[in-house]
Amino acid sequence: MPAIADRMIYLCTVAANSGDVVQERSVSDLDRASTVKDIAAGQIEDLVQVIECNVVEGTSRDVTSDIARDVMNVWANEAEPLTDWQYVFVEMFVSKQAADSFRRAA
């Protein structure tokens, strides 16, 4: 069995019919950049929470707002209007004021 890497991983909790569950993803995709990219691309839907963990150090913390700001910055850099789900995401995890700063898709 390979050794567990001493690095941060990002677990995404999503809403499901049976209750909140951790989104299944490849271990190689559990880094911060991949997590932000997957959320921004809509590959992770119905997000509830993002937990940053380091198994070796035994640490974890809620980084939902931090990740949401990173996702929001991706969308801002794309300079495209937000879809309804993107607007709700920013409003829920960042702020209504931040969501209102974007143009809305028709």
Side-chain angles (χ1 to χ4, degrees), residues 48-62:
V48 174
Q49 187 175 39
V50 181
I51 303 295
E52 176 186 73
C53 304
N54 184 309
V55 178
V56 172
E57 295 176 6
T59 62
S60 66
R61 69 184 184 105
D62 183 340

Side-chain angles (χ1 to χ4, degrees), residues 24-66:
E24 184 176 336
R25 299 189 295 151
S26 171
V27 171
S28 63
D29 292 336
L30 296 178
D31 61 282
R32 187 180 185 107
S34 296
T35 300
V36 169
K37 180 182 68 92
D38 289 349
I39 295 169
Q43 293 179 17
I44 297 174
E45 298 177 348
D46 301 319
L47 184 74
V48 174
Q49 187 175 39
V50 181
I51 303 295
E52 176 186 73
C53 304
N54 184 309
V55 178
V56 172
E57 295 176 6
T59 62
S60 66
R61 69 184 184 105
D62 183 340
V63 293
T64 309
S65 294
D66 297 339

Side-chain angles (χ1 to χ4, degrees), residues 11-23:
L11 304 175
C12 296
T13 305
V14 296
N17 291 339
S18 60
D20 296 347
V21 298
V22 174
Q23 176 83 35

Side-chain angles (χ1 to χ4, degrees), residues 37-102:
K37 180 182 68 92
D38 289 349
I39 295 169
Q43 293 179 17
I44 297 174
E45 298 177 348
D46 301 319
L47 184 74
V48 174
Q49 187 175 39
V50 181
I51 303 295
E52 176 186 73
C53 304
N54 184 309
V55 178
V56 172
E57 295 176 6
T59 62
S60 66
R61 69 184 184 105
D62 183 340
V63 293
T64 309
S65 294
D66 297 339
I67 296 293
R69 287 183 191 285
D70 291 350
V71 170
M72 182 184 73
N73 289 334
V74 168
W75 292 333
N77 290 335
E78 292 174 351
E80 295 291 327
L82 294 186
T83 63
D84 289 341
W85 80 266
Q86 291 170 320
Y87 178 88
V88 169
F89 177 89
V90 173
E91 181 181 39
M92 180 180 299
F93 294 113
V94 181
S95 72
K96 180 165 178 28
Q97 182 178 7
D100 287 342
S101 70
F102 286 88

